[in-house]
Amino acid sequence: MQGVSGMLKIVHMAVNGNDVEVAIDPRESLLDTLRNRLGLTSVKKGCEVGECGACTVLVDGEAIDSCIYLTVWAEGRRIMTVEGLKGPNGELSPIQKAFIEEAAVQCGFCTPGLIMSAVEIVGTGKRYNRDELRKLISGHLCRCTGYENILNAMERIVEETYKVVGES
């Protein structure tokens, strides 16, 4: 499968903790590589212009829109998708559990991207209030929930994480 240029490029990256070597078209987005070449379908294809947040993944711990991030830029980097959050026996992460328990999931299309942003937010170890969280997720579009349950879930997980980090 070759692009117009006819030249494939080999990219090496760690995806969900596994070293991956993949041949890609140099113009290919990380979104397309993750979905189409690596089968990681939690990464959703929404707007394709970096506006909706459905394709959010972590690159070296930072939440990015994978639809406007070229795969070639991922050379040597660590990529994490929702598939990388599951525990050794397939159990859900605390963030995923909070989303379910707070009824923050409706159609589910925006959920993987929001969860990856939540992973980044929790990873800071900072305690955010609801208004700060609202600003932090402003790059995510959700047509179903009205955001309140999403914010409840994020508030809860930030609080739980902060308590644990604060105690250690």
Side-chain angles (χ1 to χ4, degrees):
M1 184 172 130
Q2 300 203 339
V4 176
S5 66
M7 295 295 293
L8 292 179
K9 178 154 177 45
I10 304 293
V11 175
H12 304 84
M13 54 189 167
V15 179
N16 297 329
N18 301 309
D19 287 331
V20 171
E21 178 180 279
V22 64
I24 53 121
D25 180 309
R27 300 160 300 176
E28 192 169 304
S29 71
L30 184 58
L31 164 66
D32 285 336
T33 300
L34 293 170
R35 281 189 66 82
N36 302 338
R37 297 189 192 274
L38 301 177
L40 299 169
T41 55
S42 75
V43 188
K44 301 302 181 206
K45 193 171 220 176
C47 69
E48 295 188 69
V49 292
E51 293 290 325
C52 75
C55 67
T56 301
V57 300
L58 299 186
V59 176
D60 291 340
E62 182 186 344
I64 60 107
D65 292 321
S66 63
C67 70
I68 55 171
Y69 189 96
L70 293 177
T71 304
V72 292
W73 301 340
E75 175 64 40
R77 299 191 180 273
R78 290 176 296 109
I79 314 299
M80 182 179 275
T81 70
V82 166
E83 287 88 347
L85 297 178
K86 69 177 180 273
N89 301 313
E91 61 273 16
L92 296 177
S93 72
I95 292 168
Q96 290 169 300
K97 286 182 189 151
F99 267 69
I100 291 166
E101 289 163 8
E102 295 294 335
V105 178
Q106 284 188 24
C107 89
F109 195 79
C110 68
T111 308
L114 277 159
I115 285 174
M116 295 318 294
S117 283
V119 171
E120 179 193 39
I121 290 164
V122 165
T124 67
K126 293 181 190 154
R127 191 178 212 160
Y128 294 101
N129 66 36
R130 197 172 185 90
D131 284 339
E132 291 167 325
L133 288 170
R134 192 181 302 278
K135 280 189 193 85
L136 288 169
I137 66 163
S138 64
H140 291 272
L141 297 179
C142 171
R143 295 175 61 139
C144 306
T145 66
Y147 301 99
E148 294 310 307
N149 291 351
I150 291 167
L151 288 164
N152 293 345
M154 292 183 91
E155 228 172 18
R156 172 175 162 175
I157 196 66
V158 163
E159 204 51 44
E160 286 172 12
T161 304
Y162 185 79
K163 278 187 197 136
V164 171
V165 171
E167 287 166 5
S168 56

